[in-house]
Amino acid sequence: MHHANHFYGHAHVLAAYCGLNPEDPPRINGYLQHGWNVVDGLGAGTPYVSGRPIFVWSEQTRRRAWSMGRRYATTVGAPFLYLLSTAGSDDGTPREGTIWYPFHGWEGQHVVGNHQRLIDEILETEDGPVTFCLYWHEFRDDRTRRRYEQAGRVICHGYRGLRWRDTDTRFLHHQLAELRRHRRVASNRLSSAVLYGAAVGCEPAVYGDPMELAGEVRPIAERIRRQWPELHGKSPDPGAARESALAELGADALASPAELREVLGWAA
């Protein structure tokens, strides 16, 4: 199994959905998309063995993968949506405030931008308490974390994992619980977190300084804002945003447990 299939506990969530042991998911026969992106579904720099299957979230991503030469791409939907089907419904507790996901870096690329200026805009915009959810990369940076702690509650859903080690297999469970506590979900870049929030009934928003990743391809970031205007702004229409989010997450492509076991190579 490619180690990225374990990121955020994705393989573990799918194993639970399929009725298998979520603590020891079987090997996935291919590459599972681990985050929303606008290319072929694979992460930047992912070493790819030609001819191996790719399991992507949406039909739009599958078509892009095909156009890039990934002929064995199959649409299965996002693991987060499979978690929703097994986690039970919202308990009905009134939602309050905003959960805000600042754009983040990772081991290979650090994010560059003015965090304080972003915080100031957030506090001027949001009309309730704000929870800042930092990615593990920024959460471990004491200076960055303290800056956000001065402005509100700060959390981290857990460590993504790397090479099958230290994965927080409950990452998506933590994220779902937090999203269901909040009325709004927001970020300065369209991301998986915003799509997840819209899918579970949060009012989404994307605004503020988008910041930059070292060496990133800027035209791609600019195209995202042009292609998904219904998810950008401080108060986009929640209905249109949710519809778009569910399409990107592949809500119309979810498989039954038996079907998913067959597709992922788990039937035996």
Side-chain angles (χ1 to χ4, degrees), residues 6 8-10 12-13 22-23 25 159-160 166-174:
H6 269 204
Y8 312 112
H10 281 171
H12 306 74
V13 166
E23 299 303 317
Y159 180 49
R160 175 206 63 204
D166 301 324
T167 304
D168 189 332
T169 62
R170 302 285 295 178
F171 187 105
L172 290 185
H173 298 76
H174 303 323

Side-chain angles (χ1 to χ4, degrees), residues 117-138:
R117 184 170 60 191
L118 179 63
I119 290 169
D120 291 343
E121 182 173 1
I122 292 168
L123 297 182
E124 290 173 0
T125 302
E126 303 302 327
D127 60 3
V130 178
T131 295
F132 297 99
C133 184
L134 301 185
Y135 196 58
W136 66 268
H137 195 257
E138 282 70 33

Side-chain angles (χ1 to χ4, degrees), residues 78-151:
F80 184 81
L81 295 187
Y82 289 100
L83 174 62
L84 287 184
S85 70
T86 60
S89 59
D90 193 331
D91 64 9
T93 301
R95 300 185 179 201
E96 183 181 24
T98 301
I99 182 166
W100 228 97
Y101 291 87
F103 181 54
H104 63 80
W106 60 291
E107 294 97 332
Q109 291 176 296
H110 292 267
V111 68
V112 178
N114 189 321
H115 288 280
Q116 189 58 56
R117 184 170 60 191
L118 179 63
I119 290 169
D120 291 343
E121 182 173 1
I122 292 168
L123 297 182
E124 290 173 0
T125 302
E126 303 302 327
D127 60 3
V130 178
T131 295
F132 297 99
C133 184
L134 301 185
Y135 196 58
W136 66 268
H137 195 257
E138 282 70 33
F139 189 79
R140 294 179 179 180
D141 181 327
D142 291 342
R143 176 182 292 183
T144 300
R145 189 183 67 253
R146 282 197 297 267
R147 189 176 293 277
Y148 283 95
E149 286 174 339
Q150 292 172 359

Side-chain angles (χ1 to χ4, degrees), residues 34 36 52 73 79 92 105 124 132 135 139-140 150 164 170 177 185-186 199 202-203 213 236 239 248 252 260 267:
H34 69 262
W36 181 76
R52 302 305 297 160
E124 290 173 0
F132 297 99
Y135 196 58
F139 189 79
R140 294 179 179 180
Q150 292 172 359
W164 306 281
R170 302 285 295 178
V185 60
C202 296
E203 300 171 11
L213 277 177
E248 289 302 306
D252 59 347
L260 194 59

Side-chain angles (χ1 to χ4, degrees), residues 31-58:
Y31 300 78
L32 175 66
Q33 179 179 345
H34 69 262
W36 181 76
N37 66 55
V38 295
V39 283
D40 59 0
L42 297 181
T46 300
Y48 172 72
V49 177
S50 180
R52 302 305 297 160
I54 296 175
F55 304 109
V56 300
W57 295 1
S58 71

